[in-house]
Amino acid sequence: MLIKKIRNFAIVAHVDHGKSTLADRILEMTGTVDSRKMRNQFLDKMDIERERGITIKSQTVTVFHDHNGENYQLNLIDTPGHVDFTYEVSRALAACEGVVLLIDASQGIEAQTVAHFEHAKKLNLKIIPCLNKCDLPDLDMNDAIIDAADYLDVDPDDIMQISAKSGLGVKDLLEQIILKVSAPKTTSEYFRGLVFDSEYDSYRGVIAHIRIVDGEIRKNEKLNLIGTNTNLDALEIGYFRDSKVPKEVLSCGEVGYIVTNLKNISECRVGDTVALKKNVEKVEALGGYEPANQMVFSSFYPVDGKDFEKLRTSVEKLSLNDASITWDVENSPSFGFGLRMGFLGPLHKEVIQERIEREFNLDIISTAPTVSYKLVTADKSSHHIKRIRDIPYDKNIREWMEPIVDATISFPKDYLGKVMDLVQKKRGSFSSMENNGYRVFAKYEIPLAEVVNNFFSNLKSATQGYAGLDYKFSGWRSSDLQVVEIHVAGNSVEALGGIIPKDDVYTFSRSLVDKLAKEIPRHQFKVPVQAFSGGRIVAAKTIPPYRKDVIAKCYGGDITRKRKLLEKQKEGKKRLKQVGTVAIPQSALLSILDL
């Protein structure tokens, strides 16, 4: 295919604005997928994606479309919409020259729409704004077009109107992509390719998804990954249709895959530059990507301690196809061996947990999501704190610092008061605000710890489901924080503790202890639940034991007989308390989210 007849583009949008549905219609109209094989959300490969109705992993497909009697190759990348997977979107955009910015005509521009628009502008990509669901009844399209044009600062005539569900206007959209998105450009005769994604196949090893930036590549050529200085063979090359289609040559501008002989996906780093081994010294590495930044941390423990190795194996296999997961082994007195894992966000954590339980048939207990902190000691050394046990108690702590995010919240203006109250409770500070028709875009600086603690659920509740949220890490802020440790039956349970603002210590501790006393089941002995902070107990409650009525058979007689039975019961419970263990259920571990 001639380079002037290739177009690389991505579909980006807010959650539920119709990206995957539009991709389905494009596949149908270009005859890429046989009608017998066609199903909804065709590019979403995982069961969990189709069940939840969300895209988790970016997917690539090549389609062909006739324009004025000439055949064009369109390489489409369908991207996720949720804020947790923004990193996936940024990788996809680096492999494109244009984007279709999809907007739900009934909802208007929302927080993630703005984030994707700004990112595409920064990369100088051609942006084709497109209003979807234009065939909905009782919809004022004129207002929708004017609002979108005002915010995006474009001519209203440049905004496409389509219905991804019925296919209305989709062919016109394909024509506009061919006319407006520029063909790929080349600057060197030597082969260079950008690795924008990778996957692991248990039979064929690592498969790199690449965008050919310069030159061409042929099957069986010797290659080198410049960033990691890893040699590999192109055992098979090709492009993506409804499945992988082998090809002898991939040329400049095309998007495809390389089946390598690598067995470890960490050797094929996303963002690396692949070149011919014989020309590697003549080739300059491409810009690549910033590494994924883990925002949320949680511990996973198997319900049955014997399944720890099975848990570790399952996470190793998942991380082969998701390089954004980090993990290391930890040991808890309450739960035994487990894994401390890092994720891109709360939804990412939920998805990984569900995949482990479903795909590997494992029952696991997970702790509430937390964030990392920075701590500066008296000797001016800085420490990264991912869990309470990382705190250097042997040194004087001079300053605590917590991560802050720049959050953009979009919502109907009728809910302005409720949103402001919620953000204030979450220790957020106002930055700016602007109106777009009936919607408001408010920007705040909010501690990340507050965002991952059910903030989005509370925001949806406050706005009856109409709010949208986008956030990105902005830096560290000095805060007056204090550690709260929870002891259950005399043993410290790190998973239940937290690092929280000093002013909230008493309220937080009291609420958490009361909640735990309800969630932890009664045992045959008393179970004291205590919250420690600053070297003292700030809240405590005792879960009463089960007690058998040992004097029920004594209808009368000497009182000493009854006392003897009660004393015997008391001694038995005392011995049981020394050897008994307290079962802490999953609901107790997640009770911190409800505070």
Side-chain angles (χ1 to χ4, degrees), residues 503-518:
D503 293 341
D504 298 336
V505 166
Y506 179 77
T507 307
F508 172 85
S509 302
R510 181 77 266 166
S511 301
L512 181 56
V513 165
D514 288 344
K515 188 86 174 173
L516 291 174
K518 293 177 183 177

Side-chain angles (χ1 to χ4, degrees), residues 190-195 208 210 217-218 220-235 258 260-262 267-269 271-286:
Y190 298 112
F191 165 70
R192 285 194 304 175
L194 174 69
V195 180
I210 66 164
I217 178 178
R218 295 179 178 275
N220 294 324
E221 286 195 295
K222 302 289 184 182
L223 305 175
N224 179 270
L225 288 165
I226 295 176
T228 57
N229 193 26
T230 303
N231 295 323
L232 60 141
D233 297 329
L235 302 180
I258 301 175
T260 71
N261 57 339
L262 301 178
E267 295 177 314
C268 185
R269 197 178 66 223
D272 207 343
T273 303
V274 60
L276 293 178
K277 186 179 178 182
K278 62 184 179 182
N279 296 330
V280 69
E281 294 180 359
K282 303 174 185 177
V283 171
E284 184 180 345
L286 297 165

Side-chain angles (χ1 to χ4, degrees), residues 458-472:
N458 294 336
L459 183 63
K460 285 285 189 182
S461 298
T463 59
Q464 296 183 323
Y466 288 112
L469 172 69
D470 177 63
Y471 61 86
K472 60 181 179 181

Side-chain angles (χ1 to χ4, degrees), residues 75 96 191 203 240:
N75 298 313
C96 300
F191 165 70
Y203 297 103
F240 301 95

Side-chain angles (χ1 to χ4, degrees), residues 335-507:
F335 306 105
F337 281 99
L339 300 177
R340 184 68 173 175
M341 301 184 62
F343 305 96
L344 299 177
L347 179 63
H348 189 207
K349 178 241 176 191
E350 284 181 33
V351 167
I352 294 299
Q353 181 176 349
E354 190 169 336
R355 289 188 65 189
I356 290 172
E357 292 176 335
R358 178 183 298 190
E359 296 175 22
F360 300 95
N361 195 26
L362 262 174
D363 290 327
I364 59 175
I365 294 174
S366 69
T367 61
T370 59
V371 302
S372 62
Y373 296 86
K374 276 186 179 179
L375 182 152
V376 180
T377 54
D379 59 1
K380 297 184 179 180
S381 61
S382 180
H383 302 264
H384 215 66
I385 309 299
K386 293 183 180 178
R387 48 195 166 192
I388 292 176
R389 71 175 71 173
D390 296 336
I391 299 173
Y393 285 110
D394 57 330
K395 298 181 180 180
N396 291 325
I397 298 172
R398 193 176 75 173
E399 183 183 26
W400 278 99
M401 301 180 77
E402 64 178 336
I404 302 296
V405 296
D406 287 330
T408 301
I409 305 172
S410 62
F411 53 91
K413 55 188 176 184
D414 296 342
Y415 300 100
L416 178 59
K418 290 183 177 180
V419 171
M420 291 179 72
D421 287 344
L422 175 62
V423 174
Q424 191 172 8
K425 288 177 184 175
K426 296 292 186 178
R427 300 187 288 131
S429 56
F430 176 77
S431 297
S432 65
M433 187 179 296
E434 58 182 298
N435 292 320
N436 178 242
Y438 73 100
R439 291 190 77 82
V440 174
F441 290 85
K443 295 187 177 182
Y444 293 92
E445 287 187 347
I446 309 176
L448 178 59
E450 302 288 356
V451 174
V452 303
N453 190 10
N454 272 358
F455 177 73
F456 190 51
S457 298
N458 294 336
L459 183 63
K460 285 285 189 182
S461 298
T463 59
Q464 296 183 323
Y466 288 112
L469 172 69
D470 177 63
Y471 61 86
K472 60 181 179 181
F473 175 74
S474 65
W476 298 86
R477 185 170 72 190
S478 179
S479 298
D480 193 4
L481 303 174
Q482 198 159 311
V483 179
V484 174
E485 293 188 41
I486 301 296
H487 288 229
V488 178
N491 296 317
S492 176
V493 184
E494 185 182 18
L496 294 172
I499 300 170
I500 61 171
K502 194 172 183 178
D503 293 341
D504 298 336
V505 166
Y506 179 77
T507 307

